[in-house]
Amino acid sequence: MTDHFKGRQFNQSVITFAVGYYLRYNISYRDLVEMMRDRGIFVHHTTLMRWVQHYSPIMRALWRKRHRRTFKSWRMDETYIKIKGQWNYLYRAIDDQGLTLDFQLRKKRDFNSAYHFLKRLLKTYGLPHRLVTDQYGATLKAIKKLTREGYLHKGVHQCSKYRNNLIEQDHRFIKRQQVRSASYQSTRAAARTLYGIETMHAIHKESRVCVKSFSVPLIELFFFARLPVILAY
């Protein structure tokens, strides 16, 4: 077991509280400083930023390592993220239950981006029964190549605006972070933060599926109770 908190000035519960709240809710680092000050914890906003940048990739790697359960009907799409005044593209995939499969930030919305994202998705989860996308030309070209290479079977892919509404609605959580993304000054910082946000969103959705009968406060408590275990594993 790797201790990801060894040598830190603050203990594990403080760090997971700060990282968890920042990635789960649409708040700024300075807002989080005030929240922690009310709890008797005094920490600078740049320290919070370093925590988020450090732990987000770890969380993503651990989540991807353990997340193998998926339904066989997928939705794939991309959304726009502005970084240093330029539009970048966050490729995302979910299953028909709305659970996150994978995500990847790319500088361009083109054939190579769609091809590499889909290829990694298929290698991780295997062949789906149905893959639903929009009709963007680069995506269709990537799917044709993957079909020729044997990663997909003919008839699996479908273009359906109605069925793709599920992932379009799921984009809203990321879109809520647009105020944050206006301050992104590098692709590296944006990728680390967005991957942390996506991982938190994925864990939260999985937690809700596992505890359907729980009330909303209990769902949140369950979610944050899992975070220290996930990070410390």
Side-chain angles (χ1 to χ4, degrees):
M1 180 183 294
T2 302
D3 185 358
H4 297 292
F5 301 91
K6 186 176 181 180
R8 294 286 177 179
Q9 181 181 356
F10 294 87
N11 62 35
Q12 175 178 330
S13 61
V14 172
I15 296 174
T16 54
F17 171 87
V19 174
Y21 265 85
Y22 180 79
L23 296 176
R24 180 73 185 97
Y25 300 107
N26 189 20
I27 58 177
S28 68
Y29 288 118
R30 295 183 187 276
D31 290 336
L32 188 54
V33 167
E34 293 183 14
M35 292 172 59
M36 299 186 72
R37 187 186 301 134
D38 291 340
R39 291 162 172 79
I41 303 169
F42 298 90
V43 59
H44 199 268
H45 67 275
T46 56
T47 300
L48 298 177
M49 180 186 69
R50 287 195 294 270
W51 287 350
V52 170
Q53 294 292 301
H54 176 76
Y55 286 107
S56 288
I58 296 173
M59 291 163 55
R60 184 198 185 208
L62 294 177
W63 173 80
R64 288 194 67 204
K65 183 178 179 180
R66 290 159 181 74
H67 182 70
R68 289 293 182 270
R69 175 178 175 270
T70 176
F71 294 90
K72 287 298 185 178
S73 180
W74 301 350
R75 312 289 189 271
M76 193 278 279
D77 195 23
E78 63 281 336
T79 188
Y80 302 84
I81 301 293
K82 185 169 284 188
I83 302 173
K84 205 173 182 179
Q86 301 293 324
W87 287 114
N88 287 246
Y89 305 91
L90 184 64
Y91 281 79
R92 309 179 68 243
I94 63 175
D95 64 21
D96 60 354
Q97 300 298 307
L99 300 180
T100 302
L101 298 176
D102 206 353
F103 42 86
Q104 187 176 34
L105 184 66
R106 307 286 296 194
K107 289 185 177 180
K108 295 181 179 180
R109 184 191 185 202
D110 57 10
F111 163 76
N112 286 329
S113 297
Y115 174 79
H116 289 295
F117 177 72
L118 282 169
K119 186 175 182 179
R120 187 176 75 178
L121 190 67
L122 292 165
K123 282 186 173 181
T124 302
Y125 295 105
L127 183 68
H129 294 160
R130 181 184 297 115
L131 173 62
V132 181
T133 70
D134 57 19
Q135 298 186 34
Y136 186 62
T139 303
L140 299 179
K141 183 180 178 181
I143 289 172
K144 287 180 180 178
K145 183 174 181 180
L146 288 167
T147 302
R148 290 196 303 269
E149 293 175 345
Y151 289 101
L152 277 173
H153 296 333
K154 290 183 178 180
V156 169
H157 175 244
Q158 294 182 4
C159 290
S160 172
K161 184 176 181 180
Y162 172 76
R163 287 179 176 170
N164 227 31
N165 282 343
L166 183 63
I167 192 169
E168 293 286 353
Q169 294 299 313
D170 199 62
H171 286 334
R172 292 184 301 175
F173 182 81
I174 303 301
K175 289 297 185 181
R176 290 209 319 251
Q177 318 302 326
Q178 288 300 297
V179 174
R180 256 190 221 165
S181 65
S183 62
Y184 291 146
Q185 295 302 308
S186 71
T187 303
R188 179 176 179 272
R192 284 173 173 260
T193 305
L194 288 168
Y195 290 166
I197 292 169
E198 282 278 16
T199 302
M200 279 295 182
H201 187 41
I203 294 172
H204 176 69
K205 289 189 291 184
E206 291 169 14
S207 300
R208 293 186 65 180
V209 169
C210 293
V211 289
K212 288 181 180 179
S213 60
F214 285 9
S215 63
V216 173
L218 286 176
I219 289 172
E220 296 298 334
L221 288 174
F222 177 76
F223 167 69
F224 285 112
R226 287 181 62 191
L227 180 58
V229 178
I230 292 171
L231 286 177
Y233 186 81

